[in-house]
Amino acid sequence: MADFLTSTHRAKWVFTPQHLVEKYKAANQRARQVLEKCGATLMEIDADGSLSYPEPQTSAKANAEKHSRTKPLSIDEEQCIRVFFENKIQEVCKSFHFPHKIQATALIYFKRFFLQWSVMEHQPKNIMLTCIYAACKIEENHVSAEELGKGIQQDHHMILNNEMIIYQSLEFDLIVYAPYRSVEGFINDMQEFFNADDDFLQMLKTLQDTARLEVDKMMLTDTPLLFPPGQLALAALHNSNALHKVLDFDGYLSSIFSRQNPVHRESEFIESLNAINSLVRKYKFPERKEQNHINRKLESCWGLSSHDESKKREKKSKHKSKKNSNETQNAPS
Protein backbone atom coordinates (compact mmCIF):
# COMPACT_ATOMS: atom_id res chain seq x y z
CA MET A 1 0.00 0.00 0.00
CA ALA A 2 3.03 2.32 -0.37
CA ASP A 3 1.47 4.00 -3.41
CA PHE A 4 -1.72 4.68 -1.49
CA LEU A 5 0.19 6.33 1.35
CA THR A 6 1.49 9.05 -0.98
CA SER A 7 -1.70 9.34 -3.07
CA THR A 8 -4.25 12.13 -3.40
CA HIS A 9 -6.82 9.46 -2.48
CA ARG A 10 -5.37 9.25 1.01
CA ALA A 11 -4.56 12.96 1.31
CA LYS A 12 -7.87 14.40 0.08
CA TRP A 13 -10.59 11.75 -0.14
CA VAL A 14 -10.65 9.91 3.19
CA PHE A 15 -12.87 11.78 5.62
CA THR A 16 -13.98 11.69 9.21
CA PRO A 17 -17.67 10.85 9.74
CA GLN A 18 -18.33 14.41 10.88
CA HIS A 19 -16.66 15.93 7.81
CA LEU A 20 -18.68 13.63 5.56
CA VAL A 21 -21.94 14.72 7.16
CA GLU A 22 -20.93 18.37 6.78
CA LYS A 23 -20.29 17.93 3.06
CA TYR A 24 -23.67 16.26 2.50
CA LYS A 25 -25.36 19.04 4.47
CA ALA A 26 -23.60 21.78 2.50
CA ALA A 27 -24.65 20.34 -0.87
CA ASN A 28 -28.22 19.84 0.34
CA GLN A 29 -28.43 23.37 1.75
CA ARG A 30 -27.15 24.94 -1.47
CA ALA A 31 -29.81 23.10 -3.49
CA ARG A 32 -32.50 24.21 -1.04
CA GLN A 33 -31.44 27.82 -1.48
CA VAL A 34 -31.57 27.51 -5.27
CA LEU A 35 -35.02 25.94 -5.04
CA GLU A 36 -36.21 28.83 -2.90
CA LYS A 37 -34.82 31.40 -5.31
CA CYS A 38 -35.50 29.78 -8.68
CA GLY A 39 -38.29 27.29 -8.09
CA ALA A 40 -36.17 24.50 -9.64
CA THR A 41 -32.70 23.10 -8.99
CA LEU A 42 -31.53 21.13 -12.04
CA MET A 43 -28.38 22.58 -13.58
CA GLU A 44 -27.66 22.77 -17.28
CA ILE A 45 -24.26 21.54 -18.41
CA ASP A 46 -22.44 22.57 -21.59
CA ALA A 47 -19.89 20.31 -23.24
CA ASP A 48 -17.04 22.51 -21.97
CA GLY A 49 -18.14 21.87 -18.39
CA SER A 50 -19.73 25.27 -17.78
CA LEU A 51 -22.79 25.22 -15.54
CA SER A 52 -25.90 27.30 -15.10
CA TYR A 53 -28.77 27.18 -12.61
CA PRO A 54 -32.39 27.83 -13.63
CA GLU A 55 -33.35 31.48 -14.00
CA PRO A 56 -34.82 33.06 -10.86
CA GLN A 57 -38.61 33.36 -10.77
CA THR A 58 -39.71 36.75 -12.10
CA SER A 59 -43.40 36.49 -11.33
CA ALA A 60 -44.23 36.66 -7.64
CA LYS A 61 -47.40 34.66 -8.23
CA ALA A 62 -45.61 31.94 -10.17
CA ASN A 63 -42.91 31.92 -7.53
CA ALA A 64 -45.41 31.45 -4.71
CA GLU A 65 -47.34 28.75 -6.55
CA LYS A 66 -44.18 26.84 -7.38
CA HIS A 67 -42.88 26.98 -3.82
CA SER A 68 -46.23 25.88 -2.40
CA ARG A 69 -45.93 22.48 -4.05
CA THR A 70 -42.19 21.92 -4.39
CA LYS A 71 -40.44 20.49 -1.34
CA PRO A 72 -36.68 19.85 -1.25
CA LEU A 73 -35.27 16.41 -0.54
CA SER A 74 -33.93 15.76 2.93
CA ILE A 75 -30.39 14.49 3.41
CA ASP A 76 -31.77 11.00 4.11
CA GLU A 77 -33.85 11.10 0.92
CA GLU A 78 -30.78 12.11 -1.07
CA GLN A 79 -29.02 9.10 0.43
CA CYS A 80 -31.81 6.84 -0.85
CA ILE A 81 -31.32 8.19 -4.38
CA ARG A 82 -27.56 7.63 -4.20
CA VAL A 83 -28.04 4.10 -2.87
CA PHE A 84 -30.37 3.25 -5.74
CA PHE A 85 -27.94 4.41 -8.43
CA GLU A 86 -24.89 2.91 -6.76
CA ASN A 87 -26.64 -0.45 -7.07
CA LYS A 88 -27.31 0.39 -10.71
CA ILE A 89 -23.59 0.96 -11.24
CA GLN A 90 -22.91 -2.58 -10.08
CA GLU A 91 -25.69 -3.92 -12.31
CA VAL A 92 -24.48 -2.09 -15.43
CA CYS A 93 -20.86 -3.12 -14.86
CA LYS A 94 -21.89 -6.75 -14.42
CA SER A 95 -24.02 -6.66 -17.57
CA PHE A 96 -21.00 -5.42 -19.54
CA HIS A 97 -18.74 -7.97 -17.78
CA PHE A 98 -16.40 -5.20 -16.65
CA PRO A 99 -13.62 -6.12 -14.17
CA HIS A 100 -14.17 -5.36 -10.50
CA LYS A 101 -11.70 -2.48 -10.65
CA ILE A 102 -13.94 -0.58 -13.11
CA GLN A 103 -17.00 -1.11 -10.96
CA ALA A 104 -15.10 0.08 -7.88
CA THR A 105 -13.63 3.12 -9.63
CA ALA A 106 -17.02 4.15 -11.03
CA LEU A 107 -18.60 3.83 -7.57
CA ILE A 108 -15.90 5.94 -5.94
CA TYR A 109 -16.22 8.58 -8.68
CA PHE A 110 -20.00 8.66 -8.14
CA LYS A 111 -19.63 8.96 -4.36
CA ARG A 112 -17.06 11.75 -4.66
CA PHE A 113 -19.17 13.66 -7.18
CA PHE A 114 -22.17 13.72 -4.87
CA LEU A 115 -20.03 14.95 -2.01
CA GLN A 116 -19.70 18.14 -4.04
CA TRP A 117 -23.24 18.26 -5.43
CA SER A 118 -26.81 17.45 -4.46
CA VAL A 119 -28.87 14.98 -6.47
CA MET A 120 -31.28 17.91 -6.82
CA GLU A 121 -28.66 19.70 -8.95
CA HIS A 122 -27.54 16.89 -11.28
CA GLN A 123 -29.46 13.88 -12.57
CA PRO A 124 -27.86 10.84 -10.87
CA LYS A 125 -28.62 8.56 -13.83
CA ASN A 126 -26.54 10.73 -16.15
CA ILE A 127 -23.74 11.05 -13.62
CA MET A 128 -23.79 7.29 -13.00
CA LEU A 129 -23.28 6.48 -16.69
CA THR A 130 -20.57 9.08 -17.13
CA CYS A 131 -18.73 7.75 -14.06
CA ILE A 132 -18.73 4.28 -15.61
CA TYR A 133 -17.45 5.71 -18.89
CA ALA A 134 -14.70 7.65 -17.11
CA ALA A 135 -13.75 4.58 -15.03
CA CYS A 136 -13.35 2.53 -18.22
CA LYS A 137 -10.99 5.17 -19.57
CA ILE A 138 -8.81 5.49 -16.49
CA GLU A 139 -8.63 1.71 -15.97
CA GLU A 140 -7.63 1.21 -19.62
CA ASN A 141 -10.67 -0.83 -20.55
CA HIS A 142 -11.96 1.70 -23.04
CA VAL A 143 -15.56 1.46 -24.15
CA SER A 144 -16.90 4.17 -26.44
CA ALA A 145 -19.71 6.40 -25.24
CA GLU A 146 -21.75 5.14 -28.21
CA GLU A 147 -21.28 1.51 -27.18
CA LEU A 148 -22.10 2.21 -23.53
CA GLY A 149 -25.15 4.28 -24.42
CA LYS A 150 -26.42 1.71 -26.91
CA GLY A 151 -26.01 -1.11 -24.40
CA ILE A 152 -28.35 0.58 -21.93
CA GLN A 153 -30.51 2.47 -24.45
CA GLN A 154 -29.33 5.95 -23.47
CA ASP A 155 -28.18 8.90 -25.58
CA HIS A 156 -24.39 8.79 -25.61
CA HIS A 157 -24.21 12.59 -26.08
CA MET A 158 -25.46 12.92 -22.51
CA ILE A 159 -22.48 10.87 -21.32
CA LEU A 160 -20.01 13.05 -23.20
CA ASN A 161 -21.74 16.24 -22.08
CA ASN A 162 -21.23 15.34 -18.41
CA GLU A 163 -17.64 14.17 -18.73
CA MET A 164 -15.90 17.47 -17.97
CA ILE A 165 -18.03 18.30 -14.92
CA ILE A 166 -17.20 14.85 -13.53
CA TYR A 167 -13.47 15.47 -13.84
CA GLN A 168 -13.76 18.97 -12.41
CA SER A 169 -15.80 17.77 -9.44
CA LEU A 170 -13.24 15.03 -8.76
CA GLU A 171 -10.56 17.75 -8.86
CA PHE A 172 -8.93 15.61 -11.56
CA ASP A 173 -7.88 13.06 -8.90
CA LEU A 174 -8.67 10.08 -11.12
CA ILE A 175 -6.40 7.41 -9.61
CA VAL A 176 -8.33 5.59 -6.90
CA TYR A 177 -7.47 2.61 -4.72
CA ALA A 178 -10.10 -0.06 -4.20
CA PRO A 179 -10.03 -2.89 -1.63
CA TYR A 180 -10.07 -5.69 -4.22
CA ARG A 181 -6.38 -5.30 -5.00
CA SER A 182 -5.59 -5.20 -1.28
CA VAL A 183 -7.52 -8.43 -0.72
CA GLU A 184 -5.36 -10.11 -3.35
CA GLY A 185 -2.21 -8.72 -1.74
CA PHE A 186 -3.14 -10.04 1.70
CA ILE A 187 -4.00 -13.46 0.27
CA ASN A 188 -0.52 -13.63 -1.33
CA ASP A 189 1.01 -12.63 2.02
CA MET A 190 -1.00 -15.34 3.80
CA GLN A 191 0.37 -17.93 1.39
CA GLU A 192 3.91 -17.05 2.39
CA PHE A 193 3.21 -16.51 6.08
CA PHE A 194 1.49 -19.88 6.52
CA ASN A 195 3.73 -21.68 4.01
CA ALA A 196 0.58 -22.88 2.25
CA ASP A 197 0.35 -26.32 0.67
CA ASP A 198 -2.07 -27.18 -2.16
CA ASP A 199 -5.02 -27.86 0.16
CA PHE A 200 -4.48 -24.63 2.06
CA LEU A 201 -4.14 -22.70 -1.20
CA GLN A 202 -7.60 -23.92 -2.19
CA MET A 203 -9.02 -22.77 1.14
CA LEU A 204 -7.40 -19.37 0.66
CA LYS A 205 -9.04 -19.18 -2.77
CA THR A 206 -12.42 -19.71 -1.10
CA LEU A 207 -11.52 -17.09 1.50
CA GLN A 208 -10.63 -14.61 -1.25
CA ASP A 209 -13.83 -15.22 -3.25
CA THR A 210 -16.03 -14.59 -0.22
CA ALA A 211 -13.97 -11.54 0.76
CA ARG A 212 -14.66 -10.03 -2.68
CA LEU A 213 -18.38 -10.38 -2.02
CA GLU A 214 -17.87 -8.67 1.33
CA VAL A 215 -16.10 -5.81 -0.43
CA ASP A 216 -19.03 -5.54 -2.87
CA LYS A 217 -21.27 -4.83 0.13
CA MET A 218 -18.85 -2.29 1.59
CA MET A 219 -18.59 -0.39 -1.69
CA LEU A 220 -22.31 0.44 -1.46
CA THR A 221 -21.85 2.17 1.91
CA ASP A 222 -19.85 5.25 2.93
CA THR A 223 -16.92 3.08 4.04
CA PRO A 224 -14.75 3.84 0.93
CA LEU A 225 -14.95 7.52 1.93
CA LEU A 226 -14.07 6.84 5.57
CA PHE A 227 -11.42 4.10 5.58
CA PRO A 228 -8.32 3.25 3.52
CA PRO A 229 -8.65 0.26 1.17
CA GLY A 230 -6.25 -1.88 3.20
CA GLN A 231 -8.49 -1.69 6.27
CA LEU A 232 -11.57 -2.51 4.17
CA ALA A 233 -9.76 -5.51 2.68
CA LEU A 234 -8.74 -6.85 6.09
CA ALA A 235 -12.29 -6.34 7.38
CA ALA A 236 -13.62 -8.28 4.40
CA LEU A 237 -11.10 -11.09 4.95
CA HIS A 238 -11.91 -11.16 8.67
CA ASN A 239 -15.62 -11.61 7.92
CA SER A 240 -14.88 -14.21 5.27
CA ASN A 241 -12.68 -16.15 7.69
CA ALA A 242 -15.39 -16.02 10.36
CA LEU A 243 -17.56 -17.93 7.88
CA HIS A 244 -15.01 -20.43 6.54
CA LYS A 245 -12.60 -20.68 9.53
CA VAL A 246 -9.56 -21.10 7.30
CA LEU A 247 -6.88 -19.63 9.56
CA ASP A 248 -6.02 -18.00 12.87
CA PHE A 249 -6.93 -14.49 11.77
CA ASP A 250 -6.09 -12.79 15.06
CA GLY A 251 -2.62 -14.35 14.94
CA TYR A 252 -2.16 -13.23 11.35
CA LEU A 253 -3.33 -9.72 12.20
CA SER A 254 -0.84 -9.51 15.07
CA SER A 255 1.92 -10.59 12.70
CA ILE A 256 1.06 -7.76 10.31
CA PHE A 257 1.36 -5.16 13.04
CA SER A 258 4.65 -6.63 14.25
CA ARG A 259 6.17 -6.89 10.76
CA GLN A 260 5.06 -3.74 8.94
CA ASN A 261 5.28 -0.90 11.49
CA PRO A 262 1.80 0.33 10.52
CA VAL A 263 0.44 3.84 11.05
CA HIS A 264 -2.31 2.62 13.39
CA ARG A 265 -2.15 0.29 16.40
CA GLU A 266 -3.88 -3.09 16.35
CA SER A 267 -6.49 -1.91 18.86
CA GLU A 268 -7.32 1.05 16.62
CA PHE A 269 -7.79 -1.28 13.68
CA ILE A 270 -10.20 -3.45 15.68
CA GLU A 271 -12.25 -0.30 16.34
CA SER A 272 -12.22 0.48 12.61
CA LEU A 273 -13.25 -3.09 11.77
CA ASN A 274 -16.23 -2.80 14.11
CA ALA A 275 -17.19 0.56 12.59
CA ILE A 276 -16.99 -0.88 9.05
CA ASN A 277 -19.17 -3.84 9.99
CA SER A 278 -21.66 -1.53 11.69
CA LEU A 279 -22.07 0.56 8.52
CA VAL A 280 -22.56 -2.56 6.41
CA ARG A 281 -25.19 -3.92 8.82
CA LYS A 282 -27.08 -0.61 8.81
CA TYR A 283 -27.14 -0.41 5.03
CA LYS A 284 -30.54 -0.88 3.44
CA PHE A 285 -31.97 -0.57 -0.03
CA PRO A 286 -35.06 1.65 -0.18
CA GLU A 287 -38.43 -0.01 -0.68
CA ARG A 288 -40.14 0.65 -4.00
CA LYS A 289 -42.97 2.72 -2.50
CA GLU A 290 -40.47 4.92 -0.68
CA GLN A 291 -38.28 5.22 -3.78
CA ASN A 292 -41.22 6.23 -5.97
CA HIS A 293 -42.24 8.92 -3.49
CA ILE A 294 -38.72 10.35 -3.39
CA ASN A 295 -38.45 10.21 -7.19
CA ARG A 296 -41.61 12.30 -7.53
CA LYS A 297 -40.22 14.89 -5.11
CA LEU A 298 -36.93 14.94 -7.00
CA GLU A 299 -38.62 15.46 -10.38
CA SER A 300 -40.57 18.33 -8.87
CA CYS A 301 -37.32 19.90 -7.64
CA TRP A 302 -35.92 19.55 -11.15
CA GLY A 303 -38.94 21.41 -12.51
CA LEU A 304 -40.54 18.25 -13.92
CA SER A 305 -44.04 17.84 -12.51
CA SER A 306 -46.01 14.60 -12.60
CA HIS A 307 -48.50 16.49 -14.82
CA ASP A 308 -45.76 17.15 -17.35
CA GLU A 309 -44.76 13.51 -17.31
CA SER A 310 -48.34 12.30 -17.74
CA LYS A 311 -48.77 14.64 -20.72
CA LYS A 312 -45.67 13.15 -22.32
CA ARG A 313 -46.97 9.63 -21.76
CA GLU A 314 -50.39 10.62 -23.14
CA LYS A 315 -48.81 12.14 -26.23
CA LYS A 316 -46.67 9.04 -26.74
CA SER A 317 -49.70 6.79 -26.27
CA LYS A 318 -51.73 8.77 -28.84
CA HIS A 319 -48.86 8.59 -31.31
CA LYS A 320 -48.61 4.84 -30.79
CA SER A 321 -52.37 4.37 -31.20
CA LYS A 322 -52.38 6.41 -34.42
CA LYS A 323 -49.44 4.40 -35.74
CA ASN A 324 -51.15 1.10 -34.94
CA SER A 325 -54.35 2.33 -36.60
CA ASN A 326 -52.50 3.26 -39.78
CA GLU A 327 -50.72 -0.07 -39.82
CA THR A 328 -54.04 -1.88 -39.48
CA GLN A 329 -55.62 0.13 -42.32
CA ASN A 330 -52.65 -0.49 -44.58
CA ALA A 331 -52.33 -4.17 -43.77
CA PRO A 332 -53.01 -6.54 -46.74
CA SER A 333 -56.43 -8.15 -46.66
Side-chain angles (χ1 to χ4, degrees):
M1 296 305 295
D3 291 339
F4 173 76
L5 292 176
T6 58
S7 68
T8 56
H9 184 148
R10 179 176 183 266
K12 296 167 56 178
W13 297 100
V14 178
F15 305 93
T16 65
Q18 181 180 357
H19 193 190
L20 206 59
V21 170
E22 289 172 355
K23 292 185 79 67
Y24 287 137
K25 282 183 177 179
N28 181 267
Q29 184 62 32
R30 184 181 59 242
R32 285 171 175 266
Q33 292 170 350
V34 172
L35 185 62
E36 180 68 24
K37 181 179 179 181
C38 303
T41 57
L42 189 61
M43 305 189 78
E44 291 187 8
I45 306 173
D46 294 328
D48 63 356
S50 59
L51 303 171
S52 59
Y53 280 110
E55 291 293 325
Q57 294 281 349
T58 55
S59 166
K61 181 179 179 181
N63 198 21
E65 289 178 352
K66 184 70 177 177
H67 292 171
S68 68
R69 66 176 184 270
T70 304
K71 304 298 181 185
L73 267 62
S74 68
I75 293 174
D76 288 342
E77 288 171 332
E78 289 209 55
Q79 173 70 7
C80 287
I81 295 292
R82 293 195 301 270
V83 163
F84 178 84
F85 283 101
E86 286 172 6
N87 275 270
K88 286 296 180 184
I89 288 176
Q90 289 191 339
E91 290 178 16
V92 171
C93 289
K94 287 176 183 176
S95 69
F96 275 88
H97 304 290
F98 290 149
H100 264 88
K101 63 181 180 179
I102 290 177
Q103 173 183 297
T105 298
L107 274 167
I108 290 174
Y109 285 177
F110 186 86
K111 289 175 183 293
R112 288 182 181 181
F113 182 90
F114 282 112
L115 282 179
Q116 317 298 329
W117 300 100
S118 163
V119 299
M120 291 182 276
E121 295 171 307
H122 295 277
Q123 292 190 355
K125 183 178 183 180
N126 298 348
I127 300 304
M128 170 195 78
L129 298 175
T130 310
C131 284
I132 295 173
Y133 175 65
C136 287
K137 274 189 172 183
I138 199 65
E139 297 295 349
E140 299 181 350
N141 194 82
H142 184 63
V143 175
S144 69
E146 292 86 350
E147 185 179 352
L148 182 60
K150 184 178 180 181
I152 50 181
Q153 298 181 328
Q154 296 294 321
D155 181 6
H156 72 277
H157 291 101
M158 170 275 298
I159 297 174
L160 296 173
N161 209 42
N162 281 277
E163 188 175 7
M164 185 53 65
I165 186 58
I166 292 287
Y167 297 147
Q168 290 173 346
S169 300
L170 300 177
E171 301 177 21
F172 295 92
D173 295 329
L174 304 180
I175 303 299
V176 303
Y177 293 80
Y180 299 101
R181 183 180 175 186
S182 299
V183 167
E184 183 178 348
F186 283 122
I187 289 292
N188 291 337
D189 184 61
M190 289 174 182
Q191 292 177 17
E192 295 182 11
F193 182 75
F194 290 102
N195 194 21
D197 57 20
D198 290 343
D199 290 339
F200 195 70
L201 284 174
Q202 186 56 47
M203 289 191 291
L204 286 178
K205 175 67 166 56
T206 301
L207 189 72
Q208 181 176 0
D209 290 343
T210 304
R212 285 201 194 101
L213 297 177
E214 290 292 314
V215 172
D216 284 346
K217 297 177 188 176
M218 294 174 186
M219 293 300 296
L220 294 173
T221 71
D222 280 337
T223 57
L225 300 171
L226 295 168
F227 301 94
Q231 288 188 15
L232 295 178
L234 280 172
L237 286 163
H238 177 271
N239 293 342
S240 177
N241 189 67
L243 177 65
H244 298 294
K245 297 178 172 56
V246 172
L247 49 85
D248 174 13
F249 195 88
D250 290 341
Y252 174 70
L253 195 61
S254 296
S255 77
I256 292 177
F257 283 87
S258 64
R259 286 182 287 148
Q260 296 186 2
N261 190 27
V263 176
H264 300 286
R265 296 192 300 271
E266 186 173 350
S267 59
E268 291 175 329
F269 170 73
I270 297 300
E271 291 179 6
S272 296
L273 188 150
N274 292 334
I276 292 167
N277 288 336
S278 176
L279 286 170
V280 172
R281 284 195 303 270
K282 291 177 181 177
Y283 173 87
K284 70 171 185 174
F285 189 82
E287 296 181 1
R288 176 171 294 187
K289 183 177 180 180
E290 178 186 17
Q291 189 71 41
N292 289 341
H293 170 70
I294 298 172
N295 285 341
R296 286 192 295 270
K297 285 186 66 175
L298 183 57
E299 287 177 354
S300 182
C301 291
W302 289 343
L304 303 174
S305 69
S306 57
H307 178 67
D308 294 335
E309 293 300 309
S310 64
K311 284 177 68 176
K312 289 180 184 177
R313 287 193 294 269
E314 182 181 352
K315 184 176 180 181
K316 184 177 180 181
S317 177
K318 285 182 178 179
H319 176 74
K320 185 176 180 181
S321 298
K322 184 177 180 180
K323 180 180 177 183
N324 290 341
S325 175
N326 291 337
E327 288 175 349
T328 302
Q329 292 174 9
N330 296 331
S333 56

